[in-house]
Amino acid sequence: MEAWRRQLNDPVSAFPIAKAGPAHIATLKTFDPPLTALEGRRLRGAERRGKRLLFPTDDGELVLLVHLMTAGRLKMLRAGEDGPKTPALRLEFAGGSKLVLTENARKKRAGVWLLSPEAASEEVAHLGPEALGLDAAALGEILRRESRRLHPLLRDQRAIAGIGRAWANEILHAAKLSPYALSTDLDDPEVDRLADALNDELARGLDLRESGASDARTYRVHNRLGEPCHVCGTPLARIDFEEHTIYYCPDCQTGGRILKDRRLSRLLR
Ligand SMILES: [Zn+2]
């Protein structure tokens, strides 16, 4: 998300918005004020809170909030450049450039909200501290707050903002910690390792994204079932937990143990 933000910050603020919309009915979550209220206004730039992008208008009256979820993509099109026929959202700027949101998925999950600055602050008020830059002391405090499994805890935006399922996989692998380990069981060296892994992995992801790398080049563990672990060569494993699929290395992370599918064991009980 931080890579998106940096990429969009300048182009979205270069010209006022000439035409706002159309937007897909499932994507636009607010109707008052209407999207057309953006027309004639200029965006101040792109901001980010956790996985949400915020585009405040430079008159301080409106904020366009975008949550891309898993499949949403934002793209800036230069004047005259061809874009998707039916994007989930289109903003056309006075110079002819366009910001388009696409979502290549049957079920539309990405969302766009047009809000007052107060309502936008409320939207993001529940988010935990930003993941990037979190130090071991702050992370330790979050881990000790309650006993939770590491993978869902890292993904919980109320605890830490900005980590999705893919990066939770990458971070836990780099930290050599089991996705099922309990947060309160970590000793100090493990908390340090997790804090380092978190910052190193997110920084690595940011660099790769800024250089335009694909998912396949960015992720070393996520979505790589059966491929050799890049550290030890063991085939990577996968486990379904709650609504999510977790990828991990049984050698680096779980002492050789294959994690049990908790959904399946619950059904069989
Ligand atoms: Zn390994």
Side-chain angles (χ1 to χ4, degrees), residues 173 229 231-234 249 251-252:
H173 181 270
C229 165
V231 176
C232 73
T234 303
C249 171
D251 193 67
C252 292

Side-chain angles (χ1 to χ4, degrees), residues 75-105:
K75 193 170 184 229
M76 203 70 202
L77 302 171
R78 290 183 306 271
E81 190 179 349
D82 271 347
K85 275 195 196 69
T86 51
L89 170 73
R90 179 165 54 213
L91 295 183
E92 191 172 337
F93 296 92
S97 58
K98 296 183 189 77
L99 178 69
V100 292
L101 192 167
T102 56
E103 191 174 23
N104 191 12

